[in-house]
Amino acid sequence: MAKSASSPRPSRPARTGRPARSTRTGRRSPLASVALLVVGLLATGGAYAMFTTAASAEEGGNASIATADKENGEKLFQANCATCHGSNGEGTNQAPTLLGVGAASVDFQVGTGRMPMAVQGPQAERKPPQFTDEQTKDLAAYIASLAPGPDIPADEYLTGKGDVTEGAELFRINCAMCHNVAGAGGALTEGKFAPSLKGVSAAHIYEAMITGPQNMPVFNDQNISPEDKANIIAYLTYLDEHASPGGLDLGDLGPVSEGLFVWIFALGSIVAITVWLTAKSN
Amino acid sequence: MTTTAPAPATRPADAEQQPSRGTRFTSWAANYVDERTSMSGLVKELGRKIFPDHWSFMLGEVALYSFVVILLSGSFLTFFFQASMAEVEYDGSYVPLKGLEMSAAMQSALNISFDIRGGLLIRQIHHWAALLFVAAIGLHMLRVFFTGAFRKPREVNWVVGFLLFVLAMAEGFTGYSLPDDLLSGNGLRIIDGMVKGVPFFGTWISYLLFGGEFPGTQIVGRLYTLHILLLPAILVALLGVHMLLLIVNKHTQFAGPGRTNDNVVGSPIMPVFAAKAGGFFFIVFGVIALVAATVTINPIWNYGPYDPSPVSAGTQPDWYIGFADGALRLVPPGWEFMIGPYTVSMNILVPILVLLVFLALVAVYPFFEAWITNDKREHHIADRPRNAPARTAIGAAGVTFYAGLWSAASSDLIATHFKLSIESVTHVIQALTILGPIVAFFVTKRICLALQKKDREIALHGFESGRIVRLPGGEYIEVHEQLSEYERWRLVSYEEYRPVMVRPDARGRISQGAKMRSAISGWFFEDRIAPVTNKELEEGSHGHH
């Protein structure tokens, strides 16, 4: 495991980055797995709570919003967001407070088109962004000026380069249970879902991890170091850039789409051929 | 045909008439073999077997040919696959896994995919053919069921076929588990959970199976032995029995002019059918190869090596195990309880029981129907499904039940793709699985009866031609087009069952079983449409337009 030694392995509460050999062969009762799951869930929740305090400790001052126009951001905010989030971003009964969410959260929510929210649904969905990149950064700068929060990530982590193997492994351990191993997305409870990660920009991936939008847990720097976040991004970039070696990927949905395909197309065309072969020639 | 050309000895002089060298060789070779094996009798006998042609009679062939493809591609895979769970470091050419610790099995599966020429294609052919194999068996079974082709004398072959179906699923599942990737490991984990759900012995059995605590270091090697040795051996043997019984019992055929319970109309195996079948094998192989060359199946490189902690969203078994996965998903929460120190996992035991009962019902249905109808005759004419309304309705109910379980296995994908909540999807499927079969039964039975009624109408009065004629008296009538004898045959020749009456046996007693039979058979056959009789036909053709 030469590669993981080179990157600092954070000690995360429940899920270790790469299982030691002992987990494979170790004796563990099935109850232990359930217990582990519970511990994992608690730890994630705990990490979330911890993060809210940890994040507010980090000071702002990011290059990309340093040059942004805070006043313009305030104007945009009053015009587009205040009805839901309150005139000072303090939150209303319709929407949560934006104090302390940081520039990263605004950049993610507005940059992916989730905000301003259009329709009430189980969750705010990605749609074509309503603001230019510049306006988005202005908004982010304004919200960041109200209270400190996580910043827009530095460019060095967003190159899409890194240790793909490490990133793939971290992705499988931390993200695949919601987003599927190939990032195709998956269902959560009550109509919520983890979206497909195909074509999501590096910045938005990073920001999703540090802000934990809606039902996604927060992965702070103690959970997954910035280098490892870059590795995850590198893996997702790899998937985007390389088509499946086996041909069409059927949406990477696994055996269900394969089963449907075999019934409808493979068996379907063979049945059509049998009908044709046995048709009376006249 | 070349082999029937006159023997060369009779015309030695005429050079132009001499058979070609190829012909001479074939007759020599045929002679050589026959003189040493006396095969010609068998070949002649077999060659004169008649195979009727209806497209649905070819489904079994599809299964057979995909099995041949599986054997061929599987043999290739065994050259390179290492069934070992020893830890190695991956050093193949797939970048996102480079340097990762994994089992030798996973590594060799990846090497087949990326570093052995043609390996990925063969792997995909093998897997697609496996999916097709079970699907073709399923469709073939449905054909046999709905046409009543399982009736005497073919009940035994139905059971053999059923065993083949179960073996095919077992082959599929063991194969799915071999690469030791995340998906297969998760699948085994579920099996492990099911085994451990067995009261008292579960944990012991699990330890025995996995050679220690799951996942252990044994399971891949053990499954491999089953997958390439034991299961295929049984499968091939049963397949032989299946084919032999097919030849002994002859094939069923649909009713038609000249087709009776005592003959088979179609083409003889030699040469027409054999040629067609040979061609058809390549068509099936071709379709599989085309699919395998263009569509990914089981991208183990995405799943990564097995590790007990991660689980991917959208983890499902291959389609034919889906119904079992679905059964587990449909159980409402809170079914497990404690007796003393033991947890009784009804949430696992009930689905297992339901599945076993379902499979058992499929296996014994022919005997059940034979008992109900008290019919001891041989049947060689395939029923049109509508002409056996109760059976068709039972089949539809079974299909609905299976479909319910099956769709439950993809509840998460249904939820995300139709923007529904997974809870409501689950509840709807729960309702469908329980109520659906009942509704399907009654609806199907009504539809069958209605279709029979329509057939009866048509047989007696012909088609409505849509041509309106005004009679000299001013009356308008629609001209009905009469069927030809040939067309009518199909509609009128079927058997009708009546409820079995309770009759005292030889000793003048009425057994409990006889009462039950009469009750069930009353329920089976009380609604029925009698086939058109000759008398009715004669009256019909005189009295009507």
Side-chain angles (χ1 to χ4, degrees), chain A residues 232-249:
Chain A
I232 291 179
I233 293 171
Y235 175 58
L236 290 173
T237 313
Y238 181 94
L239 285 184
D240 273 345
E241 285 171 359
H242 295 79
S244 167
L248 301 175
D249 60 19

Side-chain angles (χ1 to χ4, degrees), chain B residues 333-403:
Chain B
W335 277 17
E336 55 276 38
F337 55 86
M338 304 282 291
I339 299 180
Y342 295 105
T343 312
V344 184
S345 306
M346 293 311 268
N347 53 343
I348 294 173
L349 294 177
V350 171
I352 295 182
L353 215 67
V354 168
L355 295 178
L356 290 181
V357 169
F358 179 70
L359 288 177
L361 286 179
V362 173
V364 304
Y365 183 82
F367 306 98
F368 172 73
E369 195 182 294
W371 176 71
I372 290 205
T373 52
N374 201 12
D375 184 354
K376 306 220 164 39
R377 293 167 300 169
E378 293 203 351
H379 292 279
H380 301 292
I381 293 288
D383 277 330
R384 296 173 80 209
R386 67 183 64 173
N387 290 335
R391 177 204 302 143
T392 305
I394 290 180
V399 169
T400 312
F401 180 72
Y402 185 90

Side-chain angles (χ1 to χ4, degrees), chain A residues 42-68:
Chain A
L42 285 179
T44 324
Y48 185 83
M50 223 172 68
F51 167 75
T52 353
T53 35
S56 31
E58 295 167 20
E59 265 308 298
N62 185 284
S64 53
I65 58 164
T67 55

